[in-house]
């Protein structure tokens, strides 16, 4: 029978000492919470608190008078009943949906084309295109919106001059794009697509270069055309990335405000008034802060549904990988 001292020394040598204290699980369980506390406090201050205040204001008659006197009254769901019976709200919602669909389809389609183009370029040109895309993506949307507005200005706008030189649409020199319903919507659409393409193109390119080349070689050996190869192989591998990019684009484009306001301010004749513009005009132009808050709550609920869809698909795509 081995000596107890010898057994203890042997256990200590192999790292299995019977006297070793078990780890303190309580401290380990609390450590992640302590590390997340600063970020949680910031998120609570900048996200949760404003949403709570927004909901509270939406059930009051808070207006311009309340800003100076602080007097207001709780009206319950009267603000929500008012906006749901307001035809301008529903038209703004319809315009928002149409704008969102058009911008998402345009940005994703152009982004897919640019990503496919980058796979065919040489090393030098690919780096040049990447730098150009990053520069366009890094430009603040306020600055780019102002520059974009100058490009389409009547009299000295570069775009108007170029279209006039093409002699296809006639003399476009004095055309005010922001004063024409279709032209203002087209200008805003082109601006948002231009801003969204860099992120989509670079993300899809990064995903596309991960596709195994053996699949392409086998398909081409079987005589498949380039369109068949792209549809049967590339799109299949890009499906999770495309789905997530599309959902993100829907959320972002649904919230577009700066570009529309800086170019057309929702005009002419409210043809470019989306929910964001309608909320701003209701709350800060008409000083119906309660009504504007109610519209914002409804918009937030719609975005929460979109975000839930995004997270659900994100989890699913992670499980499929």
């Amino acid at each position: 029978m081995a000596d107890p001292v010898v057994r203890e020394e042997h256990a200590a040598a192999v790292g299995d000492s019977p006297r070793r204290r078990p780890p303190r699980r309580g401290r380990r369980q609390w450590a992640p919470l302590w590390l997340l506390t600063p970020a949680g406090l910031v998120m609570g201050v900048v996200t949760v608190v404003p949403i709570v205040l927004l909901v509270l204001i939406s059930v009051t008659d808070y207006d311009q008078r309340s800003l100076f006197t602080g007097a207001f009254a709780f009206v319950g769901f009267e603000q929500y009943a008012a906006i749901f019976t307001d035809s301008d709200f529903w038209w703004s919602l319809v315009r928002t949906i149409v704008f969102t669909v058009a911008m998402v389809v345009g940005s994703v389609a152009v982004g897919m084309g640019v990503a496919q183009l980058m796979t065919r370029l040489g090393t030098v040109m690919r780096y040049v295109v990447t730098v150009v895309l990053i520069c366009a993506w890094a430009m603040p949307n306020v600055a780019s919106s102002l520059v974009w507005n100058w490009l389409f200005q009547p009299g000295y706008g570069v775009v108007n001059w170029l279209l006039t030189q093409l002699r296809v649409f006639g003399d476009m020199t004095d055309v005010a794009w922001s004063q024409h319903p279709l032209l203002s919507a087209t200008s805003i659409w082109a601006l948002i697509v231009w801003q969204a393409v860099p992120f989509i193109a670079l993300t899809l390119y990064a995903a596309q270069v991960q596709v195994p080349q053996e699949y392409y070689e086998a398909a081409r050996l079987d005589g498949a055309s380039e369109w068949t190869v792209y549809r049967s192989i590339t799109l299949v591998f890009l499906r999770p990335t495309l789905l997530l990019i599309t959902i993100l684009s829907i959320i972002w484009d649904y919230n577009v405000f700066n570009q529309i306001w800086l170019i057309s301010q929702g005009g002419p004749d409210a043809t470019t008034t989306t929910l964001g513009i309608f909320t701003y005009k209701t709350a800060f132009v008409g000083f119906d802060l309660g009504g504007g808050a109610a519209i914002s709550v409804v918009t937030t609920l719609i975005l929460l549904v979109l975000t839930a869809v995004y997270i659900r698909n994100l989890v699913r795509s992670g499980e499929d990988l």
Side-chain angles (χ1 to χ4, degrees), residues 102-112 189 192-193 196-197 200-201 249 253:
M103 290 183 291
V104 170
V105 171
S107 57
V108 172
V110 176
M112 291 174 63
W189 175 85
I192 296 173
V193 169
V197 161
I200 296 174
S249 298
D253 294 341

Side-chain angles (χ1 to χ4, degrees), residues 56 87 146 308:
L56 293 177
S87 60
L146 292 175

Side-chain angles (χ1 to χ4, degrees), residues 256-279:
V256 167
F257 174 81
N258 291 337
Q259 296 89 328
I260 300 176
W261 183 257
L262 291 174
I263 290 180
S264 66
Q265 295 185 354
D269 298 328
T271 53
T272 58
T273 298
T274 58
L275 275 180
I277 302 297
F278 183 66
T279 304

Side-chain angles (χ1 to χ4, degrees), residues 33-276:
L33 296 178
W34 284 112
L35 293 174
L36 291 174
T37 298
L41 291 175
V42 173
M43 290 295 294
V45 171
V46 303
T47 304
V48 178
V49 173
I51 291 178
V52 172
L53 292 177
L54 187 70
V55 174
L56 293 177
I57 295 175
S58 68
V59 294
T60 67
D61 60 351
Y62 208 93
D63 55 10
Q64 186 177 14
R65 173 182 56 85
S66 303
L67 291 174
F68 297 97
T69 63
F72 60 90
F74 287 94
V75 294
F77 293 98
E78 290 184 9
Q79 299 285 9
Y80 294 93
I83 64 173
F84 285 138
T85 56
D86 187 358
S87 60
D88 292 336
F89 168 78
W90 292 108
W91 278 113
S92 299
L93 179 60
V94 170
R95 293 189 201 98
T96 302
I97 295 174
V98 173
F99 264 65
T100 301
V101 172
M103 290 183 291
V104 170
V105 171
S107 57
V108 172
V110 176
M112 291 174 63
V114 174
Q116 180 67 15
L117 174 65
M118 293 178 66
T119 62
R120 304 301 180 92
L121 296 176
T123 304
V124 176
M125 283 303 301
R126 187 164 59 249
Y127 278 117
V128 171
V129 173
T130 302
V131 171
V132 171
L133 290 175
I134 293 176
C135 290
W137 188 23
M139 182 177 294
N141 56 33
V142 173
S144 59
S145 299
L146 292 175
V147 174
W148 198 268
N149 205 15
W150 295 338
L151 294 175
F152 290 87
Q153 282 295 314
Y156 59 86
V158 176
V159 174
N160 291 3
W161 178 81
L162 288 175
L163 292 176
T164 301
Q165 297 303 312
L166 292 176
R167 302 182 186 279
V168 177
F169 304 100
D171 188 2
M172 298 284 293
T173 305
D174 296 325
V175 174
W177 288 65
S178 60
Q179 301 302 318
H180 190 280
L182 181 60
L183 294 181
S184 61
T186 303
S187 174
I188 295 169
W189 175 85
L191 170 61
I192 296 173
V193 169
W194 175 77
Q195 292 174 334
V197 161
F199 169 77
I200 296 174
L202 293 176
T203 303
L204 290 178
Y205 170 73
Q208 191 166 341
V209 296
Q210 303 300 318
V211 180
Q213 295 298 317
E214 294 81 3
Y215 292 96
Y216 292 116
E217 295 174 359
R220 292 189 177 100
L221 287 175
D222 290 339
S225 63
E226 290 300 318
W227 167 245
T228 303
V229 171
Y230 184 79
R231 177 174 53 84
S232 303
I233 299 177
T234 304
L235 288 182
V236 172
F237 278 91
L238 292 182
R239 186 177 300 168
T241 306
L242 271 174
L243 179 61
L244 297 181
I245 284 178
T246 301
I247 296 173
L248 281 176
S249 298
I250 292 173
I251 296 173
W252 292 335
D253 294 341
Y254 186 88
N255 282 319
V256 167
F257 174 81
N258 291 337
Q259 296 89 328
I260 300 176
W261 183 257
L262 291 174
I263 290 180
S264 66
Q265 295 185 354
D269 298 328
T271 53
T272 58
T273 298
T274 58
L275 275 180

Side-chain angles (χ1 to χ4, degrees), residues 4-23:
V5 177
V6 175
R7 289 202 309 269
E8 185 175 345
E9 291 178 355
H10 176 71
V14 298
D16 190 21
S17 175
R19 297 181 180 179
R20 186 178 60 181
R21 295 181 179 179

